Amino acid sequence: QPKLYLEVEAARTDRGQPATFDDAGRVPGAIEGEELKVLGVGAGKVGSQNMTGFSKARWSGGAQLFWTGAMLAAPVAASWNALRGRWSVWQGPLEVKRVEE
């Protein structure tokens, strides 16, 4: 039987500057993953994970979208309201950036 080989990338160093939080503990203008409407999931379960107990990092809104039981190449689909324009989306962690109007 052939063996599955997954190449592991080195730790990312392109995270940029730390976010600025408002008085409510949120990043202004952020699309909160844990508040997205999940339309479907190919494997596992999707829900919100409370992150306030993690002292070495800070999450906008104190939570994150958490996908358990995911399988390689299984999709998760979510929707949100956005301004018109062209957007780029990356995962791991999910990043959404507007690239042009």
Side-chain angles (χ1 to χ4, degrees):
Q1 290 280 353
K3 292 183 181 181
L4 178 63
Y5 173 77
L6 300 175
E7 185 175 321
V8 178
E9 292 184 25
R12 288 181 62 173
T13 58
D14 60 345
R15 294 289 185 209
Q17 296 298 315
T20 302
F21 292 83
D22 63 18
D23 293 338
R26 298 173 75 91
V27 174
I31 296 172
E32 302 291 352
E34 65 278 6
E35 295 174 359
L36 295 178
K37 179 180 179 182
V38 176
L39 304 174
V41 61
K45 296 179 182 180
V46 176
S48 179
Q49 181 183 29
N50 183 329
M51 301 303 290
T52 57
F54 293 84
S55 61
K56 294 191 178 199
R58 189 171 181 194
W59 282 256
S60 179
Q64 69 176 3
L65 183 71
F66 193 62
W67 184 8
T68 60
M71 297 180 71
L72 188 63
V76 63
S79 71
W80 64 91
N81 292 325
L83 299 173
R84 291 183 87 161
R86 183 172 162 217
W87 294 77
S88 292
V89 179
W90 297 268
Q91 74 174 39
L94 179 68
E95 295 178 27
V96 180
K97 295 182 181 179
R98 189 175 192 168
V99 292
E100 67 181 47
E101 300 252 346

